[in-house]
Amino acid sequence: MNFLTDNIRRLYGKYLIASLGSALVMSIYSFIDTIAIGQSEGPIGTAAMAVITPFYGIIIFLGILCGIGGSVLMSNAKGKGSEEKGNAYFTASFLLMTILIVIFWVAFALLHEQIFTLFGADQSIMPKVMEYAQWLIWFFPVFIAPTFISSFIRNDGAPGLAMLAVIFGGCLNVFGDWFLVFPLGMGMQGAAIATVCGTSAQVLIMSSHFFKKKCGLKLVKPFQIGKAFQKISAIGIGSSLLDLGTVFLAIIMNNQIMKYGSTTELAVYGVIATIASLFQALFCGVGQAIQPLVSANFGAGKKERYKVFFGCPC
């Protein structure tokens, strides 16, 4: 698969399917968990999932910030023929992601009650929130990894592997939700464990790309690390701003509903918000599909090709 010479429509078709799957993954997991928990725990469980929604938003925001921000720069550099510079951006993105994971992981581990209270939880639903959220906190890096890794392996010519990981992880999560929540009666914890297992499987499958001969992603000594962080953040924030806005919107809505309503109203909103996130992920997936292709062709100076991806008749 050559970004610079292969048929444009065929390239876009391959990346569109893979990108949609990757973009949908967290929304699908949240949606499946909401259904299982709603059936098992009733309104209080669904309300707890609404409180956890901003947590998922933060995970997606961080993954896109570093994943898309770094992969755009990497593909652009490799399009110009600079493999070393491209891998330097990959390394810088990995380091930035590691720093952010440590900061947010420690914050959630030490201040989880305060944070989830800010997200809209009160004393009536906090126990249910923590039954689920404790597993997300313990495995925090695992949940950020799929968005980050998929951004780079798609840019490295492996969109199919990202899609395979999403499908397998999703199926494992669906089975786990049914088996752990209902036959074993584990409720919120069962749904959380199923999500951890599905996401972990996804990470393992995606990570297999790094052991393949055709893998072009390598950790190298980064240069001008501070400047690289700035560039990654500047590009990544544009792609992740919508997800950050969704986090703030969810926090405001949760608190207002709990102020003027009850857990039942919050449960209804939680279901609506979960469905809305599926459509948002679809739109993001369509946009992200052209990112590796445009970045590489822009870097190579192939103006007539990257304009076609935007629908220009060149």
Side-chain angles (χ1 to χ4, degrees), residues 65-100:
L65 177 71
C66 298
I68 297 296
S71 60
V72 165
L73 292 166
M74 182 195 73
S75 287
N76 187 265
K78 290 189 175 184
K80 293 177 180 177
S82 180
E83 288 284 328
E84 186 72 14
K85 189 175 181 180
N87 282 319
Y89 279 123
F90 168 61
T91 306
S93 299
F94 178 77
L95 291 175
L96 179 59
M97 186 78 269
T98 302
I99 292 169
L100 291 175

Side-chain angles (χ1 to χ4, degrees), residues 153-167:
I153 67 173
R154 283 189 288 113
N155 278 268
D156 200 40
L161 182 64
M163 187 64 181
L164 174 65
V166 169
I167 293 172

Side-chain angles (χ1 to χ4, degrees), residues 10-61:
R10 194 173 299 130
L11 279 173
Y12 180 67
K14 288 180 180 178
Y15 272 80
L16 178 62
I17 296 171
S19 181
L20 285 174
S22 299
L24 280 168
V25 61
M26 291 306 297
S27 297
I28 290 172
Y29 286 2
S30 178
F31 183 66
I32 293 168
D33 285 355
T34 300
I35 293 172
I37 289 168
Q39 293 293 316
S40 172
E41 305 291 326
I44 192 168
T46 309
M49 289 303 295
V51 172
I52 295 167
T53 296
F55 184 95
Y56 277 116
I58 290 171
I59 288 172
I60 296 170
F61 165 71

